[in-house]
Amino acid sequence: MRKIRTGDQVLITSGRNKGQQGTVRVNLIDRDRIVVEGVNIVKKHIKRGRARQAGIVEVEAAFHVSNARLICPNCTQPTRVGIRPDAEGKNERYCKKCEQTVPRPEA
Ligand SMILES: [Zn+2]
């Protein structure tokens, strides 16, 4: 089970975007990377294509999940996430600070 999911609120804890917050938009699971809304903006040079103008666009770039920390929706603190079985034996995420279940984000 993934600790960070699409739709989660995260805080960036290192790198040049340290301290910024946002919602996870894309989760590249196989590469352990995430794209967060409004964070890690880079300029991309686009070649002219069939239905595209050439130019420079600003896009959100992916970065490694280890640079982000989940913001717990219960205690609103940046926290680490644990995995434990719930009452039905299914895995659930929980906040290591307040120990409450972290619900699946609506995304
Ligand atoms: Zn919490």
Side-chain angles (χ1 to χ4, degrees), residues 23-37:
T23 308
V24 178
R25 276 207 318 149
V26 182
N27 205 336
L28 305 165
I29 304 145
D30 50 342
R31 290 200 289 145
D32 288 331
R33 283 167 177 270
I34 53 173
V35 176
V36 177
E37 223 164 70

Side-chain angles (χ1 to χ4, degrees), residues 71-77 79 94-100 102:
I71 297 169
C72 172
N74 302 307
C75 63
T76 69
Q77 289 192 73
T79 185
Y94 72 98
C95 166
K96 290 208 174 165
K97 279 192 177 149
C98 65
E99 306 220 323
Q100 289 199 64
V102 177

Side-chain angles (χ1 to χ4, degrees), residues 64-101:
H64 202 260
V65 277
S66 64
N67 295 335
R69 201 162 270 197
L70 179 75
I71 297 169
C72 172
N74 302 307
C75 63
T76 69
Q77 289 192 73
T79 185
R80 283 178 300 134
V81 179
I83 308 286
R84 67 185 174 193
D86 66 10
E88 291 163 16
K90 288 186 186 161
N91 283 341
E92 66 171 15
R93 302 190 297 170
Y94 72 98
C95 166
K96 290 208 174 165
K97 279 192 177 149
C98 65
E99 306 220 323
Q100 289 199 64
T101 303

Side-chain angles (χ1 to χ4, degrees), residues 44-62:
K44 218 172 176 180
H45 296 256
I46 304 288
K47 270 191 189 167
R48 196 173 66 83
R50 241 173 298 171
R52 226 176 34 193
Q53 279 293 316
I56 300 168
V57 292
E58 297 196 331
V59 293
E60 293 141 348

